[in-house]
Amino acid sequence: MKICIVGSSGHYVYALRGIKEDPDAKIVGISPGCEGENIERLFSQVNELGFAPEVYSNPIRMFEELKPDIAVINTFFYKNSELAIEAMKRGIHVYVEKPIALSIEELEELKSVWRQTKVKLSSMLGLRYTPHFWTAYKLIKENKIGEIRLLHAQKSYKLGNRPDFYKQRRTYGGTIPWVGIHAIDWIYWLSGKKFKLVFARHSRLYNNDHGELETTAFCSFVMEDEIFATVNIDYLRPATAPTHDDDRIRIVGTKGILEVVNEKVYLLNYETKEMTEVLLDNPPVVFLDFINEIRGKDKCLVSGEDSFYTTYISLLARKSADENKSISL
Amino acid sequence: MKICIVGSSGHYVYALRGIKEDPDAKIVGISPGCEGENIERLFSQVNELGFAPEVYSNPIRMFEELKPDIAVINTFFYKNSELAIEAMKRGIHVYVEKPIALSIEELEELKSVWRQTKVKLSSMLGLRYTPHFWTAYKLIKENKIGEIRLLHAQKSYKLGNRPDFYKQRRTYGGTIPWVGIHAIDWIYWLSGKKFKLVFARHSRLYNNDHGELETTAFCSFVMEDEIFATVNIDYLRPATAPTHDDDRIRIVGTKGILEVVNEKVYLLNYETKEMTEVLLDNPPVVFLDFINEIRGKDKCLVSGEDSFYTTYISLLARKSADENKSISL
């Protein structure tokens, strides 16, 4: 299984994590995705794993010369979808940073090429593979909280000083698609329900000279069966906080309530009687299950369909926020 | 200070709490507010406090004969506003269950009588007087989190078996005005900002034969200065949980983040470095500060204006949910 990595502006470490667990996976080439993208850190991390990949300056040339099985694509966000299309057109399976496109038009094109080429696609919605979110998923599948009725998810990040491409909508895509997409994905994945309506807002105020980057946002969703979900997103986590992010979800069902907070899972139902910490389960290994899907051995936890759908909902939420209106699906 | 209590279907215990602390306050009469309202428990609690009030069957007659200074009004919800008007028209100050009216028309009438009669009015938004919410308020006033940018509040209740008047919108008013109003009030009080737009939904599914009562709801708000707020409301807290309610708020500011959960307050800012529990402050005594405002000695924490505004926003949120549309203010 020959793998190339394009860019290092996203979560390529997810790919490294899976590759490390697979004796037959090999990183054969790396390349920046854009002019000006520094891949030194990627290079040294790939080296530490024991690979000596060829280093290209042009990802397309890399695809053509090395003919990898999989391209891992995580460059400046606005280039990911274009490069994924180039890879797919050459019969290469793609593991792409989320959101997998920055506009609905790009997303449609990506989906159309994916359908035609029939390659496999997955995206870096890697939080599904954390023990806490995976355990929440298992508990819901085991019917510990009954029918899901109400969800609230939180994404809170430190802002720090971000690269210039974060400062323009055109190159960054927006905080709802970049950060909020995780919360949207949890809601979709954990409830198993489709979105029917979205109402969202975002604000650039207090973004500490980050141009067009939105500092705060919310999304509210009506889903199938009158299930409701809200999301809070912010870049205002103090720099001194012990972790970069503060990811949470609270899920209210007809038979219990489940929470993920501080990378722990808590369950309240008629058996637990009070909010009780749940022992964490072992999730599948991120990216390894994508490799195994390509081998025909397994199903990847983040399917192509999931990647398209979650990106689509994020882009609709951004549109709702931009245009100050609710959008029905 | 002569006090009459009408009904016992709401939070009259707030009034008892204040009266207990005031040697010059005296409960002189009690009465049901509606036919069929049982006030035995109220009677015995008032007795335990050492009062021997006259017991009426008709509250208006009680107002006329006893001429109290204050009427505490908490009967079946749909009668509160009407009885408050009757009291005010007789020059009696009123302490009314929230929401203080079940429709915008009723609210307008109440406000108009209040303006004409110039009596004092406060409402049972008693959670402001809890040590945890009061401490949150103080921390914000002390500028511990900078400018507020994003809020999320939660109300989660056990449903149990509720009286029949909860089962009809006409007599109950709806879950957003009855339960959600507290969350709306925290958002308004703690941010000090006005609401500019509301988008809300509610659902009656899984209400365990409670007729028109809504089991779940959310509200999302855009406030002044692009401040955002969301609210989750549910009646799905398991009956076995240790407390009736699970009240929370998380407030994100430009310099820190503050949370109220489990009746505790946590602060994360550049000084605390991590989420740190804060020592609780002593709040004013509920209702006692209303008595003192009437004496001209103090300002009540829940003003007449606050009571009108919070009820108004709750009723607009209900309208948004009923009509499936966002409403601008």
Side-chain angles (χ1 to χ4, degrees), chain A residues 290-329:
Chain A
F290 183 56
I291 299 180
N292 284 331
E293 171 161 340
I294 291 165
R295 288 188 180 119
K297 280 187 11 188
D298 210 347
K299 273 300 270 177
C300 182
L301 187 59
V302 178
S303 68
E305 287 83 356
D306 290 355
S307 304
F308 289 109
Y309 189 67
T310 305
T311 296
Y312 179 62
I313 299 299
S314 305
L315 295 175
L316 276 193
R318 182 186 72 184
K319 183 179 163 78
S320 166
D322 282 344
E323 299 178 4
N324 299 333
K325 64 176 191 194
S326 62
I327 298 175
S328 293
L329 282 102

Side-chain angles (χ1 to χ4, degrees), chain A residues 7-299:
Chain A
S8 58
S9 300
H11 297 87
Y12 64 86
V13 289
Y14 288 148
L16 301 188
R17 228 171 274 167
I19 290 165
K20 209 160 35 176
E21 303 295 321
D22 189 326
D24 296 323
K26 194 175 167 190
I27 301 170
V28 295
I30 65 172
S31 158
C34 298
E35 243 179 279
E37 189 177 29
N38 184 332
I39 59 163
E40 281 173 30
R41 210 174 122 78
L42 167 65
F43 182 76
S44 66
Q45 283 177 283
V46 168
N47 262 268
E48 275 165 36
L49 284 185
F51 300 107
E54 288 196 52
V55 180
Y56 282 79
S57 59
N58 181 324
I60 313 283
R61 200 146 54 79
M62 176 169 72
F63 296 157
E64 302 211 319
E65 293 185 10
L66 300 183
K67 298 187 198 325
D69 299 292
I70 306 175
V72 174
I73 297 171
N74 70 135
T75 182
F76 296 170
F77 310 157
Y78 68 105
K79 290 288 258 182
N80 287 329
S81 125
E82 185 185 319
L83 288 169
I85 288 172
E86 294 294 342
M88 289 194 289
K89 282 184 174 168
R90 289 165 176 83
I92 302 166
H93 305 291
V94 289
Y95 184 62
V96 192
E97 182 59 90
K98 41 40 64 177
I100 58 176
L102 298 198
S103 73
I104 289 175
E105 298 69 34
E106 272 177 31
L107 183 68
E108 286 308 316
E109 202 195 331
L110 190 68
K111 201 193 293 191
S112 144
V113 174
W114 174 71
R115 280 203 187 112
Q116 288 161 37
T117 59
K118 294 190 175 126
V119 300
K120 303 282 184 192
L121 178 150
S122 183
S123 62
M124 298 183 184
L125 293 164
L127 295 169
R128 289 194 186 189
Y129 296 83
T130 57
H132 41 293
F133 283 105
W134 174 254
T135 300
Y137 176 71
K138 295 273 281 184
L139 292 169
I140 290 166
K141 291 283 155 207
E142 290 161 9
N143 198 28
K144 296 290 189 199
I145 63 168
E147 300 297 319
I148 290 175
R149 303 300 307 149
L150 184 67
L151 307 95
H152 177 73
Q154 173 187 303
K155 290 291 298 178
S156 180
Y157 280 179
K158 294 179 184 176
L159 179 56
N161 284 308
R162 306 223 159 208
D164 278 345
F165 76 86
Y166 278 81
K167 296 173 188 172
Q168 282 180 51
R169 166 64 70 88
R170 193 184 59 79
T171 52
Y172 168 55
T175 295
I176 293 175
W178 174 241
V179 182
I181 192 171
H182 289 293
I184 290 167
D185 182 55
W186 305 331
I187 290 166
Y188 171 56
W189 175 51
L190 297 174
S191 73
K193 299 290 177 178
K194 296 272 183 170
F195 297 86
K196 306 291 282 180
L197 188 139
V198 53
F199 182 77
R201 284 294 171 94
H202 48 200
S203 169
R204 291 169 177 161
L205 295 181
Y206 299 96
N207 73 1
N208 196 25
D209 288 325
H210 278 72
E212 296 173 354
L213 176 142
E214 299 92 358
T215 324
T216 53
F218 76 87
C219 307
S220 46
F221 298 103
V222 178
M223 313 190 68
E224 293 174 300
D225 306 332
E226 299 181 21
I227 297 165
F228 305 134
T230 52
V231 173
N232 273 199
I233 306 159
D234 72 80
Y235 270 117
L236 292 172
R237 188 163 167 78
T240 51
T243 59
H244 166 63
D245 51 10
D246 183 2
D247 287 348
R248 303 188 197 177
I249 195 164
R250 173 175 177 266
I251 307 165
V252 180
T254 52
K255 297 202 288 187
I257 296 173
L258 193 154
E259 288 187 73
V260 177
V261 54
N262 290 330
E263 306 195 346
K264 291 177 178 161
V265 179
Y266 299 88
L267 176 65
L268 166 65
N269 65 17
Y270 288 85
E271 288 157 24
T272 69
K273 294 194 173 61
E274 53 188 322
M275 264 295 168
T276 303
E277 193 178 337
V278 177
L279 217 65
L280 298 183
D281 206 341
N282 278 329
V285 177
V286 62
F287 190 69
L288 181 61
D289 74 340
F290 183 56
I291 299 180
N292 284 331
E293 171 161 340
I294 291 165
R295 288 188 180 119
K297 280 187 11 188
D298 210 347
K299 273 300 270 177

Side-chain angles (χ1 to χ4, degrees), chain A residues 203 226 230 232 248 259, chain B residues 203 226 230 232 248 250 259:
Chain A
S203 169
E226 299 181 21
T230 52
N232 273 199
R248 303 188 197 177
E259 288 187 73
Chain B
S203 169
E226 298 180 22
T230 53
N232 275 199
R248 304 188 196 178
R250 173 174 177 267
E259 287 187 73

Side-chain angles (χ1 to χ4, degrees), chain B residues 49 57 64 68 75 78 81 100 117 122 147 257 262 266 273:
Chain B
L49 284 186
S57 58
E64 301 210 321
T75 183
Y78 69 105
S81 126
I100 58 175
T117 58
S122 184
E147 300 297 320
I257 296 173
N262 291 329
Y266 298 88
K273 294 194 173 63

Side-chain angles (χ1 to χ4, degrees), chain B residues 64-325:
Chain B
E64 301 210 321
E65 293 186 9
L66 299 183
K67 300 189 197 324
D69 299 291
I70 306 176
V72 174
I73 296 171
N74 70 136
T75 183
F76 296 169
F77 310 157
Y78 69 105
K79 291 287 259 182
N80 287 329
S81 126
E82 186 185 317
L83 288 168
I85 287 172
E86 293 295 342
M88 288 194 290
K89 282 184 172 166
R90 290 164 176 83
I92 301 165
H93 305 291
V94 289
Y95 185 63
V96 192
E97 182 59 90
K98 43 35 71 176
I100 58 175
L102 299 198
S103 72
I104 288 175
E105 299 67 35
E106 273 176 31
L107 183 68
E108 286 307 317
E109 201 194 331
L110 191 69
K111 202 193 293 190
S112 143
V113 174
W114 174 70
R115 281 204 186 112
Q116 288 162 38
T117 58
K118 293 189 177 129
V119 301
K120 303 281 184 193
L121 180 150
S122 184
S123 61
M124 298 185 184
L125 294 164
L127 294 169
R128 288 194 187 189
Y129 296 84
T130 57
H132 40 295
F133 282 106
W134 173 254
T135 301
Y137 176 71
K138 295 274 281 186
L139 291 169
I140 290 166
K141 291 283 154 208
E142 290 161 9
N143 197 28
K144 295 290 188 197
I145 62 167
E147 300 297 320
I148 290 175
R149 303 299 307 149
L150 183 67
L151 306 95
H152 177 71
Q154 174 187 303
K155 291 290 298 178
S156 180
Y157 280 179
K158 294 180 186 176
L159 179 56
N161 284 308
R162 305 223 158 208
D164 278 345
F165 76 86
Y166 277 80
K167 297 173 187 170
Q168 282 181 51
R169 166 63 70 87
R170 192 185 59 79
T171 52
Y172 168 55
T175 295
I176 293 174
W178 174 242
V179 182
I181 191 171
H182 289 292
I184 290 167
D185 182 54
W186 305 331
I187 290 167
Y188 171 56
W189 175 51
L190 296 174
S191 73
K193 299 290 178 178
K194 296 272 185 171
F195 297 85
K196 305 290 282 180
L197 188 140
V198 54
F199 182 76
R201 284 293 172 94
H202 49 199
S203 169
R204 290 168 179 164
L205 295 181
Y206 299 95
N207 73 2
N208 197 25
D209 288 325
H210 278 72
E212 297 173 353
L213 176 142
E214 299 92 358
T215 324
T216 52
F218 76 86
C219 307
S220 46
F221 298 103
V222 178
M223 314 191 67
E224 293 174 298
D225 306 331
E226 298 180 22
I227 296 166
F228 305 133
T230 53
V231 173
N232 275 199
I233 305 160
D234 72 81
Y235 270 117
L236 292 171
R237 187 162 167 80
T240 51
T243 59
H244 166 64
D245 51 10
D246 182 3
D247 287 347
R248 304 188 196 178
I249 195 164
R250 173 174 177 267
I251 308 165
V252 180
T254 52
K255 295 202 288 187
I257 296 173
L258 192 153
E259 287 187 73
V260 178
V261 55
N262 291 329
E263 307 194 346
K264 291 176 177 161
V265 179
Y266 298 88
L267 177 65
L268 166 64
N269 65 16
Y270 288 85
E271 286 158 26
T272 70
K273 294 194 173 63
E274 53 188 323
M275 263 297 168
T276 302
E277 194 179 336
V278 177
L279 218 65
L280 297 182
D281 207 340
N282 279 329
V285 177
V286 63
F287 190 70
L288 181 62
D289 74 340
F290 184 55
I291 299 179
N292 283 332
E293 172 161 339
I294 291 165
R295 289 190 179 118
K297 280 188 10 190
D298 211 347
K299 272 301 270 177
C300 181
L301 186 59
V302 178
S303 68
E305 287 83 356
D306 288 356
S307 305
F308 288 109
Y309 189 68
T310 305
T311 296
Y312 178 62
I313 299 298
S314 305
L315 295 174
L316 277 193
R318 183 187 70 183
K319 184 179 161 78
S320 166
D322 282 343
E323 300 179 3
N324 299 333
K325 64 177 192 192

